[in-house]
Amino acid sequence: MLNNEKNLQPNLYLVVAILAVLTVGFHIYLIFTGLMPNLVTRPLHLALVLPWIFLFTKDESQTTKYIGYILLVLSLFSSFYIILNHVDLEDQYGSLENSLQYFVAITLIVSVLEMARRSVKLALPTTALIALLYGLFGHYIPGNFGHQEIPIDSFLGTLVIAEGGIYGSLTGISVNVVAVFVILGAFVGVGEGGNAFMSMSTKLAGKLRGGAAKVSVLASAFFGSISGSASANVASTGAFTIPTMKRLKYPSSLAGAVEAVASTGGQIMPPLMGAGAFIMAELLGVKYTTIMSAAIFPSILFFFTVWIGVDIFAKKYNLVAMSDDDIPTFNIVIKLAPFFLIPFGSLLIALIVIGKTPQYSAALAIFASIFLLFVDRDWNFSLKKWFELFIKGCIVASKQIAVIASIIICAGIIIGVLNLTGVGVKITSAILLLSGGHLWVALLLTALACLILGMEVPTTAAYIICVSVAGPILQEYGLSALQTHLFIFWFALLSTITPPVCGTVFIAAGMAETHWLKVASKAMRLGVGLYIIPIAFITNPYLIHPNEHFFLAIASLIKISLGLALISYALVSESKTLFIRFGILILGLLVALFTLF
C-alpha cells in the first residue's frame, strides 16, 4: 500500500488526499448523526475502503493490477446498488430475485475475497472460500458434518443483501467503532504524540540496566494503548528503539525480539486493545469499559514479564544504560507531554468519568489531536504544517481502516456460513466429545485451535472464528463468557511471536537485519506471559474482575507476578544448571497457576 504519498504525482496525490478526507470524515460524521440504515452505512464503508486496496496497493503483475481496476468498478457499482435500493432489499428478507442481484452478490463476494488476499495474503480468503464451498455443496457430505441444502438465492442473499455476511454485525463494528479509534491513533501518531510517548519512556527507563530495551517496552505499552496495532507499533516505536539498541551493542536478535514482543502487548493493553476488543464488547453485549477493566491486570502482568525478561537478558549480556546525550531533558518531556495527555485524558474522562460511548469519547480525543497539529513542541503555530499533518493523518488512518475492514468483512463471510449451515454447533459437539467432559482438555484443544488458526489468519479474524466455534464449549464447562472470550483472544495473539508465522517477529527481524528464527527464539522467552496468563485468569478468575473484587484481584496479581518472574528467570538466565532452572520453571508454573481463592 502507499508508502510515501509525497512521491506521488500532484494529481494522484490530490485524489488520494480527497479520498482520505472523505473516508475519515464519513466515519466521524456517523458518530454525530442519528440512526442510518445498516444497508447504507456498511456498503458505503466498503465502497470507501475499496480504492485503498485495489488502486493504491503494489501488486506483483500488470494483470492483477488491471483485475483490481475491474473489480473496483464492479464492486463500487454493486455497493451503490445496495445503498440506493436498500428499502426494497430489506423487504426481500435475504433472498435474491433477479439476475442483476445475483451479479451484485457474486461481484461483492469475489471482491471481498480479493481484498483480503491483497491485504493479508492467501490464508484468510482461502478459509472463506472453503466455507463458501461448504455452504454451497455441504449437503452432499454424508454423516453429521453434512447439512441440508440451502437454496442458492437464500444463501447468496443472506451473505450479501441481508445482514448475515459481509454486512453483518462485525462490519458494523468496523464502521462504527474500530475505524474511529484507528483515526484517533493516526492523528496522535502523525503529530508530536509519538515523540511524547518516546520521550517519556526514555526519561523513565533510559538510565536503567538494559535501558534502551526497557524504553522499547514502555514506549510500546504507551503507544500500543492508543494504536492497538502490533504491526503499527513495531513500525513506529521500532524505528527508534531497534537502531538505538544496536548502537549500544545489543545483540540484533534481542533488539528485534524486545520490540516484537512489546509491540504485541499493544493489542491487550487498554484503552484500545485493537479491533478484537471492540468486537468482544459487541459479542458479549457489555460496555467497552467492562472489557478494559477485565484486561488491565492481565496486560500489566504481560508487560511485567517482558520487563523481567529484558532485565535478565541485560544482566546476561552486560547491557549498559543509555548515555546522557540520548536521554531527553525534563523540559522536553514536559513540552511534549500535552500531545499525549490531552487526547488520552479526553478519551478516558469522557469514557469512564462522564460515561459517554466509546465512539463519542474517541471523537473528542480526535478533535483534540487535530487541534494539537496546529502547534509544535514549542507551541509555534503553523497553518501550513497543520494542513500537511492533517492530510497525512487522514491517509494513514484510511490505509489502516482499509486493511482492518478487509479482514473483518472477509471473516464475516465465514461467520455467515457457520450460522447458515449450523456447522459451528457440530464442531462444538465434536470438541466436547474429544474433551471427554474435562475442562482442561477442552481448554487445550481450544488453545491449539486458536494458535493454529492464528498462524493462518490475522488475530482479529482468528478470535472471531474461534470464539464462534469454541466459545459455547468453554461456557458449558462453567467458565464465564468474559473468561472464555479473553482466553480465546489471548491465544489468538500467540501467532504474532510463535513460528512459523509470526508477523511482528518478521517485521522486527527485518528492521534489526538479523535472522527471524533467532528473534523468534528470544521473543517466545520474553513473551512467555502470552502462553501462561490466559490459563492464570482461568484458575484465578478474580484477576479479571478488579471492579468487583479489587483486593482479591490485587492478591492474584501479586501471586501470578511472582510465578511469572520465576518462569522468566528459568527460561532466560543461564547462571544455574539446567536441572535447577527446570525446577524453578516448575515452581513458577505452580505459583502462577494454582488457585489462590
Side-chain angles (χ1 to χ4, degrees), residues 74-192:
L74 296 180
S75 53
L76 285 174
F77 167 80
S78 300
S79 296
F80 281 102
Y81 173 84
I82 291 177
I83 293 169
L84 296 173
N85 296 279
H86 71 276
V87 175
D88 293 335
L89 293 176
E90 287 171 355
D91 292 336
Q92 293 178 202
Y93 300 103
S95 179
L96 303 180
E97 292 187 348
N98 55 57
S99 56
L100 178 58
Q101 291 181 7
Y102 277 96
F103 172 80
V104 166
I106 294 170
T107 296
L108 288 174
I109 289 174
V110 171
S111 297
V112 168
L113 294 175
E114 177 63 6
M115 283 175 64
R117 187 197 70 81
R118 295 187 182 213
S119 298
V120 292
K121 305 307 178 187
L122 280 171
L124 179 59
T126 300
T127 305
L129 181 60
I130 292 170
L132 286 168
L133 292 174
Y134 175 78
L136 290 170
F137 305 110
H139 56 281
Y140 292 115
I141 298 175
N144 291 332
F145 280 90
H147 62 78
Q148 290 186 340
E149 183 176 0
I150 305 171
I152 186 69
D153 59 329
S154 296
F155 181 75
L156 294 177
T158 301
L159 291 178
V160 175
I161 68 167
E163 296 175 29
I166 65 175
Y167 297 134
S169 60
L170 294 181
T171 304
I173 299 167
S174 177
V175 177
N176 297 314
V177 183
V178 175
V180 178
F181 280 92
V182 167
I183 293 167
L184 170 59
F187 281 119
V188 171
V190 299
E192 294 281 12

Side-chain angles (χ1 to χ4, degrees), residues 284-465:
L284 289 172
V286 300
K287 293 182 178 179
Y288 183 67
T289 49
T290 302
I291 306 298
M292 286 173 53
S293 173
I296 186 65
F297 280 1
S299 65
I300 289 172
L301 284 171
F302 172 79
F303 281 104
F304 167 79
T305 309
V306 178
W307 186 279
I308 292 295
V310 165
D311 193 67
I312 298 170
F313 267 121
K315 186 176 181 180
K316 176 180 175 180
Y317 291 118
N318 194 28
L319 301 176
V320 298
M322 297 174 68
S323 67
D324 290 337
D325 293 338
D326 291 325
I327 307 294
T329 64
F330 185 72
N331 185 44
I332 291 177
V333 174
I334 292 298
K335 283 183 176 181
L336 287 172
F339 294 93
F340 163 67
L341 294 176
I342 290 175
F344 194 79
S346 301
L347 172 69
L348 293 182
I349 291 171
L351 188 62
I352 298 173
V353 179
I354 303 177
K356 295 295 184 180
T357 64
Q359 301 96 308
Y360 187 88
S361 303
L364 296 180
I366 290 169
F367 295 146
S369 300
I370 292 174
F371 178 78
L372 288 170
L373 297 179
F374 278 110
V375 295
D376 59 18
R377 68 182 65 182
D378 295 315
W379 296 92
N380 296 316
F381 181 90
S382 172
L383 184 60
K384 179 182 178 182
K385 190 69 173 177
W386 175 87
F387 183 75
E388 291 177 355
L389 292 175
F390 175 75
I391 296 299
K392 182 179 179 181
C394 289
I395 293 173
V396 169
S398 298
K399 291 192 293 184
Q400 293 179 0
I401 290 169
V403 172
I404 294 173
S406 300
I407 295 168
I408 291 178
I409 296 172
C410 189
I413 292 176
I414 300 170
I415 301 304
V417 174
L418 288 176
N419 292 333
L420 277 168
T421 61
V423 70
V425 176
K426 296 173 183 178
I427 296 173
T428 298
S429 301
I431 296 176
L432 280 171
L433 181 64
L434 288 172
S435 65
H438 300 289
L439 170 62
W440 289 103
V441 177
L443 285 170
L444 176 61
L445 291 171
T446 303
L448 287 174
C450 291
L451 176 58
I452 293 169
L453 187 60
M455 288 180 180
E456 296 298 324
V457 301
T459 299
T460 302
Y463 159 68
I464 294 167
I465 297 167

